Amino acid sequence: MVKQLFPEARCQNWPPTAVQPMWKTVWETKSSCLREGVFRTTCDPRLIEALPPESHNARVAFLTPKSVSPEKMACVIHLAGTGDHSFERRLRLGGPLLKDNIATMVLESPYYGQRRPSMQHGSKLQCVSDLLLLGKATIDEARSLLYWLQNEVGYGKMGICGLSMGGVHAAMVGSLHPTPIATLPFLAPHSAVVPFCDGLYRHATAWDALRKDAATLAQDVTSLTEDTAQKSGITIEQVRERLRSVLSLTDVTRFPVPKNPQAVIFVGATDDGYIPKHSIMELQKAWPGSEVRWVTGGHVSSFFLHNDAFRKAIVDALDRL
């Protein structure tokens, strides 16, 4: 399953599956326009079967200035962080960039917003495989959108950014893109291992359920009671190492260096309880030529307090193309 989800980066196909979103206009002024679009997810058919039906159709919001032709503009795709179920927060980040002739496209992630499965409560993914499927689908859809924006619409410069989990996905997309694009991972770890195995999310992970799952596999049976799983001899630490092994495939430092690492700007927070500084520095070390910037505050507060710093990073990265 892991090999199907994330094949070796050098084997990633290009061009990606084509998209033709169906658009509707949400609002329009003399200077700008906001549209929302829907398209069929561009995942491999095997992965589509694994996704919940609610996630089969992707949704995007597209905010553009009206007075400039695409070839004289830039467009940045914004990917969702954990818990970001709507377009609003990312449109608020991208809106002021219209004055710099930068359009904003916001992608709704699988398992989030209108793509959330009916059995899922909020942002709480039920299975480890859901996290991997969410990531793979987001990456595939973002790559298809980049191709559409660049080759069908004709934007002059392209970028990809994301916050937290979305920053990890943005780094992967930027790494795999065959031409230079601005890549902006905000408040993002180098791997999902960091928050789920070492960081705060380890306190919100159902370790007993994962131990039961591991014991079931070890004994080659279809199900076990929780009491039997506890007596199986499998420790929580072993379960944590198993999860660490699976999530290690999200390690961005194993991905290729982007075509123009000077157009990569990482932004970290000085008091981030989720993402330690060393994790962000590992990204810069793996991609020589990239830049790290710091904002004050925690993982959530820094984003609300320093939107201008994130916008400046976007403008600066695009200027380096």
Side-chain angles (χ1 to χ4, degrees):
M1 177 184 174
V2 163
K3 289 178 180 177
Q4 289 177 4
L5 283 169
F6 288 88
E8 288 296 323
R10 61 179 174 273
C11 299
Q12 292 278 0
N13 293 328
W14 190 264
T17 304
V19 294
Q20 287 295 335
M22 301 285 291
W23 296 104
K24 70 172 183 179
T25 300
V26 178
W27 55 255
E28 193 171 3
T29 67
K30 290 182 179 179
S31 60
S32 59
C33 175
L34 176 65
R35 293 182 292 162
E36 290 185 5
V38 179
F39 62 92
R40 177 78 168 176
T41 184
T42 53
C43 284
D44 179 279
R46 291 171 297 178
L47 298 185
I48 293 178
E49 290 179 11
L51 283 171
E54 296 90 340
S55 292
H56 288 184
N57 287 329
R59 296 177 64 245
V60 291
F62 195 16
L63 180 62
T64 58
K66 294 171 66 175
S67 57
V68 186
S69 59
E71 63 270 13
K72 296 179 181 178
M73 291 168 46
C75 184
V76 177
I77 298 177
H78 295 239
L79 303 181
T82 300
D84 190 352
H85 287 264
S86 72
F87 297 137
E88 183 181 349
R89 188 183 304 170
R90 286 169 284 162
L91 286 174
R92 220 167 31 231
L93 175 63
L97 295 172
L98 289 172
K99 70 181 187 303
D100 298 298
N101 292 326
I102 299 172
T104 291
M105 178 172 275
V106 178
L107 173 64
E108 182 179 73
S109 289
Y111 297 90
Y112 277 24
Q114 292 186 24
R115 305 179 72 184
R116 185 179 69 189
S118 58
M119 297 295 290
Q120 179 181 305
H121 298 289
S123 307
K124 298 176 182 177
L125 302 178
Q126 293 183 311
C127 303
V128 174
S129 56
D130 290 348
L131 182 67
L132 300 176
L133 285 165
L134 185 161
K136 176 59 174 168
T138 298
I139 292 163
D140 285 350
E141 291 165 6
R143 298 185 81 206
S144 292
L145 289 169
L146 280 171
Y147 184 79
W148 180 78
L149 288 164
Q150 213 162 16
N151 293 276
E152 299 287 331
V153 187
Y155 276 93
K157 293 181 179 180
M158 297 299 309
I160 186 90
C161 76
L163 178 76
S164 190
M165 173 183 72
V168 177
H169 298 154
M172 292 175 176
V173 172
S175 161
L176 297 172
H177 201 71
T179 60
I181 61 171
T183 303
L184 298 123
F186 298 147
L187 313 178
H190 73 281
S191 164
V193 169
V194 175
F196 283 98
C197 297
D198 303 325
L200 289 176
Y201 281 156
R202 73 182 188 275
H203 301 299
T205 301
W207 296 111
D208 286 336
L210 291 176
R211 174 164 62 181
K212 184 178 175 182
D213 186 48
T216 301
L217 286 174
Q219 298 189 27
D220 195 25
V221 294
T222 55
S223 65
L224 286 175
T225 64
E226 194 164 309
D227 184 55
T228 305
Q230 290 176 352
K231 294 176 180 178
S232 67
I234 296 176
T235 66
I236 293 296
E237 189 52 43
Q238 287 174 311
V239 176
R240 188 173 283 121
E241 285 305 309
R242 179 182 177 227
L243 181 62
R244 186 186 301 273
S245 175
V246 171
L247 295 184
S248 66
L249 78 137
T250 66
D251 188 341
V252 179
T253 64
R254 298 181 180 181
F255 279 63
V257 177
K259 297 298 182 290
N260 182 356
Q262 284 74 29
V264 178
I265 299 178
F266 302 104
V267 179
T270 55
D271 302 297
D272 196 325
Y274 290 86
I275 315 302
K277 290 182 179 180
H278 72 80
S279 182
I280 296 173
M281 297 311 295
E282 283 193 42
L283 287 165
Q284 187 195 33
K285 183 180 178 182
W287 292 356
S290 61
E291 180 186 351
V292 174
R293 298 181 181 180
W294 299 98
V295 293
T296 57
H299 191 72
V300 177
S301 62
S302 60
F303 179 74
F304 289 107
L305 293 172
H306 301 291
N307 267 204
D308 286 343
F310 294 114
R311 292 188 194 104
K312 186 175 189 314
I314 290 172
V315 173
D316 290 348
L318 288 166
D319 284 344
R320 296 172 186 179
L321 294 175

